[in-house]
């Protein structure tokens, strides 16, 4: 069962989901996979519009569209996926925000992209998805210090534990500062969150955890091709809701 945002779910004719290890592409989005833009994420701050299914917009860490029928996703494995939707469901966006992107201001770039077309952040909702949590995401003190110098946020928000970044809290406060008022956090740590069920298995693909395993055992497989997608789509007018896997029981 993939995770969903209670802010995005009520928006009409917009379907979204956050992937996990068992379902890298959220089940509701799978039938739209062929419309996915072929972008390359580079931990940068570039946001680009896409308007044709399957187009190749180059190196982008954020995508935005006003065209129904194009699935937008970002790939993550510890970095933060942030999904955006205008409240009327007429424009959507998805941003890949790791520590580099947050520090370099990718969320501000997304807000600037909205401003360029006359939208205000308050007209949109934002949903922050699963990422490495402050329980596990240990970094150097130098990086924590860099965040404190660059961002006008309190030390307790940036690193609630010594040398442990809280990416979701940083993103949330950045979004609120930019003028977003409806911000949801779907909070599970990708390093330590257990999968539902009795098996000893973790729920998400984690780059950090995988790297640690490979340090101990060089034969351990890499996560290449196993990042999880988080994304959303505006359904085209002629799409039956059941095409996207929405519950149609009783209809
Ligand atoms: Zn954790």
């Amino acid at each position: 069962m993939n995770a969903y945002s209670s802010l995005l779910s009520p928006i009409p004719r917009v379907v979204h989901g956050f992937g996990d290890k068992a379902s890298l592409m959220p089940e509701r989005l799978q039938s739209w996979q062929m419309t996915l833009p072929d972008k390359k994420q580079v931990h940068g701050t570039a946001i680009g519009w896409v308007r044709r299914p399957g187009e190749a917009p180059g190196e982008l860490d954020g995508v935005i569209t006003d065209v129904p029928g194009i699935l937008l996703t970002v790939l993550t494995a510890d970095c933060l996926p942030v999904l955006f939707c205008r409240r009327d469901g007429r424009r959507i966006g998805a941003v890949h925000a790791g520590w580099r992107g947050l520090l370099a201001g990718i969320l501000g770039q997304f807000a600037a992209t909205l401003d360029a077309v006359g939208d205000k952040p308050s007209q949109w909702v934002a949903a922050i998805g699963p990422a490495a949590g402050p329980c596990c995401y240990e970094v150097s003190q130098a990086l924590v210090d860099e965040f404190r110098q660059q961002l006008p946020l309190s030390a307790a928000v940036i690193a609630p534990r010594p040398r442990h970044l809280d990416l979701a809290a940083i993103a949330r406060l950045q979004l609120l500062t930019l003028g977003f008022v409806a911000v949801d956090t779907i909070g599970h740590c990708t390093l330590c969150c257990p999968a539902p069920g009795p098996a000893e298995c973790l729920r998400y693909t984690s780059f950090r955890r995988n790297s640690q395993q490979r340090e101990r055992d060089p034969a351990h497989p890499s996560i290449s091709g196993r990042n999880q997608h988080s994304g959303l789509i505006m359904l085209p007018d002629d799409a039956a809701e059941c095409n996207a896997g929405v519950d149609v029981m009783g209809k």
Side-chain angles (χ1 to χ4, degrees):
M1 186 65 183
N2 298 121
Y4 300 100
S5 154
S6 59
L7 286 178
L8 288 172
S9 291
I11 297 178
R13 300 193 69 77
V14 171
V15 179
H16 80 282
F18 298 90
D20 55 36
K21 212 168 168 181
S23 182
L24 293 174
M25 176 63 82
E27 283 167 26
R28 291 176 179 187
L29 303 178
Q30 285 172 5
S31 59
W32 299 98
Q33 194 149 359
M34 77 291 288
T35 70
L36 204 59
D38 183 18
K39 69 176 179 341
K40 185 171 189 299
Q41 296 177 189
V42 292
H43 296 275
T45 58
I47 312 286
W49 286 88
V50 290
R51 294 203 166 91
R52 290 190 314 280
E55 76 174 88
E59 294 186 347
L60 293 177
D61 283 272
V63 278
I64 182 167
T65 191
D66 49 13
V67 178
I70 302 177
L71 175 61
L72 302 184
T73 71
V74 285
L75 283 160
T76 61
D78 294 340
C79 287
L80 205 63
V82 189
L83 304 183
F84 292 92
C85 185
R86 209 164 77 171
R87 291 172 189 271
D88 64 3
R90 297 299 180 92
R91 284 175 176 155
I92 55 173
V95 166
H96 162 249
W99 69 260
R100 289 181 187 81
L102 290 177
L103 198 55
I106 191 169
L107 297 177
Q109 284 300 315
F110 190 81
T113 305
L114 301 187
D115 187 56
V117 292
D119 276 7
K120 293 186 168 48
S122 59
Q123 292 172 279
W124 285 64
V125 304
I128 297 167
C135 42
C136 299
Y137 198 45
E138 188 169 6
V139 299
S140 69
Q141 186 59 43
L143 184 59
V144 172
D145 291 343
E146 205 179 335
F147 267 88
R148 286 188 187 163
Q149 283 155 17
Q150 304 275 332
L151 305 182
L153 303 176
S154 78
V157 167
I158 291 170
R161 296 174 57 206
R163 299 180 309 283
H164 283 68
L165 286 181
D166 190 343
L167 297 176
I170 293 166
R172 181 183 169 79
L173 272 179
Q174 283 189 310
L175 289 167
L176 294 174
T177 305
L178 288 162
F180 290 88
V181 289
V183 181
D184 201 3
T185 304
I186 293 82
H188 297 287
C189 172
T190 45
L191 274 87
C192 69
C193 178
E200 274 188 43
C201 182
L202 291 159
R203 182 166 180 171
Y204 298 101
T205 299
S206 162
F207 177 79
R208 173 73 64 96
R209 191 177 63 237
N210 185 261
S211 302
Q212 288 164 351
Q213 285 165 334
R214 281 162 63 85
E215 264 171 36
R216 288 192 295 270
D217 172 15
H220 192 85
S222 84
I223 60 161
S224 178
R226 291 192 286 128
N227 291 23
Q228 45 245 340
H229 286 267
S230 294
L232 72 181
I233 183 169
M234 296 182 287
L235 297 179
D237 287 340
D238 58 356
E241 295 262 324
C242 57
N243 280 352
V246 171
D247 185 11
V248 291
M249 289 270 286
K251 287 187 188 167

